[in-house]
Amino acid sequence: MAPSKHSSSIKTASIKSPLKYALLLALGSAQADDQILQRVFVDGSRTNQLGVADAASAGTITQDELAARTVYRPGEVLEAVPGLVVSQHSGEGKANQFYLRGFNLDHGTDLRTTVDGMPVNQRSHAHGQGWTDLNFLIPELAVRLDYKKGPYSAEEGDFASAGTASVVYANRLLQGVASVSAGQNGYGRALVADSVDTQRGSLLYAIEAMHNDGPFTRPDDYQKLNAVLRYSEGYANNGFNIALMAYKADWNSTDQIPLRAVQDGQIGRNDAIDNTDGGKAHRYSLSGAWRRTTDDSASKVNAYIIANQLDLWSNFTYFMDDPVHGDQFAQPDKRVTSGVNASHSWHQHTDTGNTETTVGVQLQNDNIFNGLYNTQARRTLSVTRQDHIVESSAALFVENNTRWNAAFRTVAGARLDSYRFDVQSNLAANSGKANDHLVSPSLSLIYGPWQTAEVYANFGSGFHSNDARGSTITIDPKTGLAADKVQPLVRSRGMEVGARTSWLPGLQTSLSVYRLDFDSELTYAGDAGTTEAGPPSRRYGIEFSNYYKPLKWLSVDLDLAYARARSRGYVEEGSYIAGAIEGTGQLAVTVDDGGPYSASLKLRYFGPRPLIEDNSVRSNASMTLNGRLGWKIRKDLRLELEAFNITNRHDSAIDYYYASQLKGEAAPVSDIHFHPIESRSVRATLIKNF
């Protein structure tokens, strides 16, 4: 008999220990899902990870914390990860810009992101390796966000060197939800989601429609339709689910603009140079997952097939390359991604502890058609390159987690990744095949003889894949000059020491110090159709994260992070890494006594960054203050008011330094190019549960 949507096998009052709650989350149990969906309040917005996490920098964010966050766009849900900054330098439909641990991660390289078990990073993408478009995410369906940092997990592979973020969707909703939002700058959103019990399982559906113009002179006119249909039987640890997702959007883009044009009055902060920039995208997926758990073993399998398409028009240099038609270019990308992940774990109890060994296989194939065209007002003028890419990978990993005694446990693992690249280019000289493989070991040591603290030492090796086109290139498609091939897989090596404590009642604190080396800062320059090879790099950093609940109605989050990123060895132009984030901070205060009213404020600091290798040009820091007020009108109806950039600061969301040429300029000019943060705005949301 299917469980009722209005009941649960564990009552709210029975979850008295944050550790017990964390264990339920770690096991992925249906009971944990159910309790999250009932908006259970536990001691700690981030679940207590003592005895659960393998590193001080790993954690789980519950649905309550995710639901309490004030986010301007869906991708900002990931800012719940301490030290992670999510930004934007173009129209709302474009993938976000991510910053973490001394990286400008561009649109997702070195931050492995999954939603409902499906990879979001897109390999060998037309606009940038690891393209991570989260606009299809529906936050109301997320029951938790799991994160890890550093290459210390054998289960995580490509793009996971800086970190991983995994959004887990619900199998069922205990209450239906209908919400309507309206705000300044043409913002509107409507959502309906619910679960329907069937004879054997549960059918979940969600439909979302959104529009947003933003504060720009030429409105973004971002229009999005999004839907999820999901059938599940059993529980999260003993059952299965099948899900269909569909997302479609189109938008205009106000891309980054040159500072000189604003300072001399040619344009305003919210103006564009090329008013025909923009894009359209769709994503359709079919996925399924199966789990079976017994007293001494656990098996899980998930499979997916994803159809993505993007058409993107951009102009970053204006009239530098083509004074007549302008420098706008198109980057079409159409792909089908399919994959299977399977693992099996064996549990064994010993006289002094227990051990678990997991063996897993991961397969992925991308069938890609993409290109780079010169355009004017979205009309194609010429083709720089067109490619058909088949990129396939297979990975085998093994990981052993052993508790040797009450105080000491270890996690040791290794993974083998094998990649195959097949590129068919419109320029025959750039066609070809390539292969590469890597072995990545990892080891974590965890010591905790105390009830309220643990210390960690983590070591590991990881990698990111480079664009397949760089592995077969021989001629630069833009200049016609000879070009060097690049290594398909680039190794990273990391180490970290940290501690986690809850020594003061109501306070959870974690501290980590890390180092991360890359063999090369190789990146594919999607705007030019070539691969840029950089020198080896090294990053040091420290992260300090706190959650404090001194009173039942008051909670405070404080996250601070600092990183130092440099090239290794002699580099003539300088050892700084352009765009590498140095300092971030976040302070959030939430007031909620369980009554009709609640409120929160969040202050985010996004520190300055070197914009060129000799550090002679730097970005300014930015500071944003967002807030939320909630009013529970009655048990099933509430009103929320959200305010963004309350102080109306005129900061940059992102800064670059490069050469461009405006209409009427005699020669290119090297300048800061920036995208402004959105001006102060307010949104109201009416939420009805049923």
Side-chain angles (χ1 to χ4, degrees):
M1 179 177 177
S4 167
K5 66 185 287 185
H6 302 294
S7 65
S8 175
S9 58
I10 294 182
K11 301 300 182 184
T12 302
S14 70
I15 300 184
K16 300 182 183 297
S17 165
L19 178 56
K20 179 179 178 181
Y21 191 66
L23 288 169
L24 285 172
L25 286 169
L27 291 171
S29 70
Q31 292 94 327
D33 287 350
D34 289 349
Q35 293 308 304
I36 297 169
L37 290 167
Q38 292 186 62
R39 296 183 63 81
V40 175
F41 290 92
V42 297
D43 294 333
S45 63
R46 301 178 189 123
T47 57
N48 192 331
Q49 296 289 298
L50 289 172
V52 179
D54 300 329
S57 57
T60 291
I61 313 295
T62 69
Q63 190 196 37
D64 288 315
E65 185 183 12
L66 295 175
R69 299 187 67 83
T70 303
V71 297
Y72 187 87
R73 50 183 64 91
E76 290 182 5
V77 167
L78 266 59
E79 285 196 350
V81 176
L84 176 61
V85 172
V86 180
S87 187
Q88 180 58 277
H89 76 99
S90 189
E92 283 303 313
K94 193 173 181 179
N96 296 124
Q97 200 89 5
F98 302 92
Y99 294 84
L100 178 70
R101 287 203 158 186
F103 284 89
N104 174 354
L105 295 162
D106 196 48
H107 296 292
T109 304
D110 298 309
L111 176 65
R112 180 173 178 82
T113 305
T114 62
V115 172
D116 205 31
M118 292 179 285
V120 183
N121 305 76
Q122 296 180 37
R123 311 188 294 197
S124 301
H125 192 270
H127 186 73
Q129 179 70 339
W131 176 267
T132 302
D133 182 358
L134 283 165
N135 286 297
F136 72 95
L137 178 66
I138 300 179
E140 288 85 349
L141 300 185
V143 294
R144 71 178 192 267
L145 169 62
D146 300 325
Y147 66 89
K148 305 173 187 175
K149 299 178 191 175
Y152 314 127
S153 171
E155 188 175 2
E156 310 294 346
D158 201 359
F159 305 121
S161 293
T164 64
S166 174
V167 178
V168 180
Y169 267 11
N171 277 340
R172 65 177 72 90
L173 300 178
L174 298 187
Q175 294 186 89
V177 58
S179 68
V180 178
S181 304
Q184 293 173 278
N185 301 322
Y187 179 83
R189 179 179 185 255
L191 170 76
V192 177
D194 194 14
S195 293
V196 178
D197 289 337
T198 67
Q199 185 176 4
R200 296 178 59 86
S202 179
L203 183 67
L204 179 151
Y205 66 87
I207 303 172
E208 175 194 32
M210 197 188 87
H211 178 272
N212 192 18
D213 285 332
F216 304 105
T217 304
R218 187 197 184 212
D220 273 357
D221 193 22
Y222 176 49
Q223 301 180 53
K224 173 171 77 171
L225 289 173
N226 203 8
V228 173
L229 185 65
R230 183 186 186 96
Y231 177 77
S232 62
E233 288 187 15
Y235 298 92
N237 59 342
N238 267 300
F240 73 90
N241 65 70
I242 300 173
L244 283 167
M245 300 185 191
Y247 160 79
K248 187 175 183 180
D250 61 77
W251 64 93
N252 301 319
S253 292
T254 297
D255 286 321
Q256 63 258 26
I257 53 177
L259 182 61
R260 64 186 184 278
V262 177
Q263 290 177 334
D264 64 18
Q266 291 185 51
I267 60 173
R269 285 178 53 85
N270 293 320
D271 289 340
I273 301 297
D274 191 332
N275 281 317
T276 66
D277 290 350
K280 55 184 179 180
H282 71 234
R283 179 192 183 278
Y284 308 122
S285 67
L286 171 64
S287 63
W290 172 88
R291 285 191 180 221
R292 192 66 71 230
T293 303
T294 67
D295 291 340
D296 56 6
S297 68
S299 301
K300 59 181 179 180
V301 179
N302 78 288
Y304 54 86
I305 182 167
I306 311 166
N308 277 295
Q309 182 168 340
L310 172 72
D311 292 292
L312 186 66
W313 292 271
S314 309
N315 188 345
F316 302 140
T317 54
Y318 320 122
F319 293 93
M320 187 173 75
D321 295 330
D322 188 338
V324 176
H325 302 100
D327 296 350
Q328 189 186 75
F329 56 93
Q331 293 166 304
D333 190 286
K334 184 177 182 180
R335 68 181 60 215
V336 174
T337 300
S338 55
V340 177
N341 301 315
S343 66
H344 184 76
S345 302
W346 295 268
H347 314 289
Q348 183 178 358
H349 295 276
T350 65
D351 293 338
T352 56
N354 55 72
T355 183
E356 176 184 276
T357 300
T358 301
V359 175
V361 176
Q362 299 169 347
L363 307 174
Q364 183 176 330
N365 184 77
D366 294 273
N367 190 11
I368 309 162
F369 295 86
N370 58 25
L372 177 64
Y373 308 155
N374 296 312
T375 61
Q376 182 181 25
R378 305 194 185 187
R379 180 175 59 87
T380 301
L381 302 175
S382 61
V383 174
T384 302
R385 73 177 301 165
Q386 269 184 327
D387 301 274
H388 175 210
I389 304 163
V390 178
E391 182 169 343
S392 305
S393 64
L396 173 67
F397 73 89
V398 59
E399 189 167 75
N400 175 266
N401 190 326
T402 298
R403 177 172 290 279
W404 299 93
N405 52 49
F408 182 60
R409 56 192 173 96
T410 61
V411 182
R415 64 179 288 130
L416 169 64
D417 287 273
S418 179
Y419 275 65
R420 181 180 182 274
F421 307 89
D422 187 348
V423 179
Q424 300 298 318
S425 180
N426 63 325
L427 186 61
N430 286 337
S431 298
K433 297 180 180 180
N435 297 276
D436 203 358
H437 67 274
L438 278 178
V439 176
S440 305
S442 57
L443 174 65
S444 297
L445 310 175
I446 304 100
Y447 183 61
W450 317 278
Q451 288 187 340
T452 59
E454 279 185 334
V455 293
Y456 310 84
N458 308 97
F459 311 88
S461 178
F463 72 99
H464 69 231
S465 62
N466 279 307
D467 193 288
R469 290 167 288 185
S471 67
T472 62
I473 193 171
T474 60
I475 296 176
D476 187 316
K478 197 165 187 177
T479 66
L481 301 175
D484 295 328
K485 297 178 182 179
V486 300
Q487 188 71 22
L489 305 181
V490 179
R491 183 180 294 282
S492 65
R493 298 173 180 85
M495 61 179 65
E496 178 177 323
V497 294
R500 190 188 306 271
T501 178
S502 57
W503 63 274
L504 182 67
L507 175 65
Q508 297 178 34
T509 296
S510 65
L511 176 69
S512 57
V513 180
Y514 64 88
R515 189 183 86 180
L516 182 62
D517 294 345
F518 258 105
D519 286 351
S520 174
E521 291 280 321
L522 289 173
T523 57
Y524 181 81
D527 305 343
T530 59
T531 298
E532 296 177 351
S537 63
R538 172 165 292 173
R539 289 168 172 84
Y540 295 100
I542 183 169
E543 295 174 329
F544 185 49
S545 180
N546 302 269
Y547 176 79
Y548 186 39
K549 195 173 181 66
L551 302 168
K552 288 185 177 181
W553 52 269
L554 176 65
S555 62
V556 181
D557 279 283
L558 175 63
D559 298 318
L560 301 172
Y562 174 78
R564 181 184 185 274
R566 297 289 189 273
S567 298
R568 287 183 288 152
Y570 174 75
V571 182
E572 184 177 356
E573 59 269 26
S575 62
Y576 286 78
I577 299 175
I581 192 170
E582 294 178 345
T584 67
Q586 178 177 287
L587 174 64
V589 179
T590 301
V591 176
D592 189 347
D593 63 356
Y597 302 104
S598 61
S600 65
L601 281 174
K602 185 186 81 169
L603 181 68
R604 188 193 76 170
Y605 172 76
F606 183 17
R609 303 162 301 285
L611 298 182
I612 57 177
E613 287 76 5
D614 65 4
N615 198 34
S616 61
V617 182
R618 293 177 60 84
S619 72
N620 292 320
S622 71
M623 188 90 72
T624 52
L625 179 66
N626 298 337
R628 170 185 291 205
L629 290 173
W631 175 30
K632 190 183 296 181
I633 302 171
R634 57 176 191 254
K635 185 177 181 180
D636 61 347
L637 185 67
R638 66 186 189 273
L639 177 67
E640 293 183 349
L641 297 178
E642 295 176 301
F644 302 90
N645 191 14
I646 294 173
T647 58
N648 203 30
R649 287 178 63 102
H650 287 183
D651 291 337
S652 297
I654 198 166
D655 296 283
Y656 302 95
Y657 185 80
Y658 58 85
S660 65
Q661 188 170 343
L662 297 168
K663 195 82 168 179
E665 289 182 331
V669 178
S670 294
D671 194 9
I672 291 177
H673 297 72
F674 74 98
H675 186 74
I677 62 172
E678 290 75 16
S679 56
R680 181 171 52 224
S681 63
V682 178
R683 297 173 183 173
T685 302
L686 186 65
I687 304 165
K688 166 72 173 174
N689 292 111
F690 56 90

